[in-house]
Amino acid sequence: MRQLLNIAHYEMLHIFKEKILFLMVFLVPLGYAALFGAAYVTAVLNNVPIAIVDLDDSKLSREIAAAFANSPHFRVVDDIKTYQELQEGMKNGRVRAGVVIPEHFEQDMAQHTLTRVLTVYDGSNLIWGYNTRKYIREVFNEFSASNTASYLADMGYNKNDIRSIMDTVSLNTEVWYNPTFSYANFLYMGLIMIILHQIGLLSVSLTITREKERKTWLQFLSAPVPAWKIFAGKAIPYFTANFFNYALLLWFASRFVHVKIGGSLALILLLGILYDLIITSAGFFISAHAPNSLQVTRYLMLLSVPFFMISGYTWPGTHIPAGINYLARLLPFTWMAQGFRQVTLKELNLSYIFPYILALVLMAVLAVLPAITFTKRAKPRQEGGLSINGGASYPGR
């Protein structure tokens, strides 16, 4: 135990001594989380800039304009009055949507003639497009119901008759798990998991490569210390730091970004421990076999975007090509991000989360076994390879 603690103490000294490593282990995850949190803190898209082109200028058309002005989802841009101005406003981004009320609108409505109101919205950004379309429909449905009720009242129907006519079919809609359609609830924790994955993996992956470049790795290989103790001693500081970051970022997400984090605390901690164990073990294994820090940094930085995109976190896995979907199932991020969402957002219990736990347990075993059984034998440097810290001169061919 003393040998293990000595190695852990030695590694912790390196973390606190090297400023870049200290920042990467303790401050970069929180910095990234704060940056992404600031981007998604509003969570719900309101005050969408919209233009009302009223070609009829009647009482009824002004009521439509007032309905949009009174909606919290929209902010009416008043100085756009023509279709050409609407087109220009959509191009330069002053507005994201527009409503064009045709001429003779009130007259056609009074004569019960089919009349069409044109609505346009910017679909170049799907978040703007989806939310704008939904909000426009809500405003028009409310206006249409109010207008119909007024028409029936003018015909002499009393309130009970109007209610019985209009409530022939009633649609009750309930949105489960994310009723406000919060984009932070949808995306933010996936970004947090990829931050923990990449920063944690990169930090621990530089441990042995650093020793190799400083010519100090031989003292570990030649010391009468079993491989598993070297792994444990080297990994414990990073495992502890990663789990600290996991807890810190969950608190930050809940407290400042207002992300919903519900469900079983035990399951949340279990998922974090397994995920951390996989990252730490895989990072140590990579470091033990990588020739230098440069290669580790290059390759790990290339993985973050593919891992996030193919995981099925933002796009349903059922609609991802089968080959890519199978590849995604081999990644710990896929199971962690999806399992975490099931626990915190849907508040599901262990019976539903068990497949995710089982997958992470198997991955943890597959990551730990090669890490604790690495060969304590120095590999000869390949001739013609790049020499790190080998002098001031450029290496010869």
Side-chain angles (χ1 to χ4, degrees):
M1 179 60 69
R2 181 179 294 275
Q3 292 175 327
L4 189 153
L5 293 178
N6 285 340
I7 296 173
H9 178 258
Y10 168 85
E11 192 63 32
M12 187 63 72
L13 289 178
H14 274 293
I15 295 176
F16 283 94
K17 183 178 179 181
E18 298 181 17
K19 294 182 180 179
I20 299 299
L21 184 59
F22 176 82
L23 291 174
M24 186 165 61
V25 171
F26 288 105
L27 297 182
V28 168
L30 181 59
Y32 279 1
L35 177 63
F36 294 146
Y40 298 114
V41 69
T42 54
V44 179
L45 196 65
N46 283 327
N47 296 314
V48 177
I50 189 171
I52 309 295
V53 179
D54 187 356
L55 303 180
D56 189 47
D57 193 24
S58 61
K59 178 183 176 181
L60 195 58
S61 65
R62 287 192 291 272
E63 288 179 1
I64 293 180
F68 280 96
N70 294 331
S71 171
H73 301 310
F74 291 103
R75 174 176 56 83
V76 177
V77 179
D78 294 322
D79 59 344
I80 295 180
K81 303 297 184 181
T82 67
Y83 186 77
Q84 290 72 23
E85 291 175 347
L86 172 61
Q87 287 181 312
E88 185 60 30
M90 293 282 282
K91 290 177 181 178
N92 60 32
R94 288 192 60 214
V95 294
R96 293 286 180 172
V99 177
V100 181
I101 304 174
E103 296 177 341
H104 313 300
F105 172 72
E106 186 175 50
Q107 178 181 337
D108 291 341
M109 290 286 290
Q111 296 175 357
H112 308 296
T113 303
L114 177 63
T115 180
R116 299 184 183 276
V117 175
L118 174 65
T119 61
V120 297
Y121 60 88
D122 186 350
S124 62
N125 183 307
L126 293 181
I127 303 303
W128 281 110
Y130 168 76
N131 285 280
T132 302
R133 180 180 63 180
K134 179 167 68 75
Y135 296 157
I136 288 175
R137 286 181 175 178
E138 289 177 0
V139 172
F140 266 104
N141 287 341
E142 184 176 346
F143 171 80
S144 179
S146 175
N147 183 68
T148 302
S150 298
Y151 173 75
L152 293 175
D154 291 341
M155 293 181 64
Y157 288 90
N158 58 41
K159 290 184 178 180
N160 291 331
D161 292 336
I162 293 173
R163 187 178 297 110
S164 63
I165 293 172
M166 296 190 64
D167 292 345
T168 303
V169 177
S170 177
L171 175 64
N172 293 326
T173 302
E174 294 183 2
V175 181
W176 292 2
Y177 311 126
N178 190 13
T180 61
F181 293 98
S182 168
Y183 202 65
N185 285 338
F186 165 65
L187 183 65
Y188 186 71
M189 291 314 300
L191 295 174
I192 293 298
M193 295 307 158
I194 203 66
I195 289 171
L196 294 171
H197 184 283
Q198 290 303 100
I199 299 299
L201 194 61
L202 179 61
S203 300
V204 72
S205 295
L206 299 177
T207 56
I208 297 179
T209 55
R210 179 191 65 226
E211 304 288 355
K212 292 176 182 178
E213 293 163 6
R214 295 180 177 180
K215 313 297 183 184
T216 56
W217 181 231
L218 286 174
Q219 70 182 1
F220 290 94
L221 297 178
S222 59
V225 181
W228 71 268
K229 282 189 177 181
I230 297 176
F231 159 72
K234 285 279 191 182
I236 283 176
Y238 296 98
F239 179 88
T240 305
N242 291 344
F243 194 77
F244 167 79
N245 285 327
Y246 177 72
L248 175 64
L249 298 190
L250 292 189
W251 171 81
F252 179 87
S254 175
R255 178 67 176 81
F256 295 103
V257 190
H258 309 297
V259 175
K260 178 185 176 182
I261 299 180
S264 168
L265 178 61
L267 286 178
I268 293 174
L269 294 178
L270 178 59
L271 287 169
I273 290 172
L274 292 173
Y275 192 51
D276 190 5
L277 184 59
I278 295 170
I279 291 171
T280 306
S281 303
F284 182 88
F285 179 79
I286 292 171
S287 189
H289 292 81
N292 54 64
S293 301
L294 182 61
Q295 279 196 7
V296 170
T297 306
R298 281 176 175 174
Y299 295 141
L300 290 185
M301 288 295 101
L302 293 175
L303 297 178
S304 56
V305 173
F307 280 8
F308 188 77
M309 296 307 297
I310 71 174
S311 66
Y313 190 81
T314 60
W315 185 252
T318 53
H319 292 68
I320 294 176
I324 298 178
N325 208 4
Y326 287 132
L327 175 62
R329 293 177 184 177
L330 301 177
L331 306 176
F333 172 79
T334 300
W335 297 95
M336 176 60 187
Q338 298 284 6
F340 186 88
R341 175 183 278 170
Q342 302 296 320
V343 173
T344 58
L345 207 56
K346 291 188 174 183
E347 300 187 17
L348 302 182
N349 57 34
L350 180 60
S351 62
Y352 295 95
I353 307 302
F354 183 75
Y356 303 93
I357 299 292
L358 179 61
L360 290 174
V361 167
L362 293 176
M363 290 182 181
V365 172
L366 294 176
V368 170
L369 286 179
I372 64 176
T373 57
F374 73 92
T375 304
K376 289 186 60 178
R377 183 173 65 250
K379 294 183 180 180
R381 184 172 66 87
Q382 294 181 357
E383 293 299 327
L386 180 63
S387 177
I388 303 297
N389 295 340
S393 61
Y394 188 81
R397 294 184 179 274

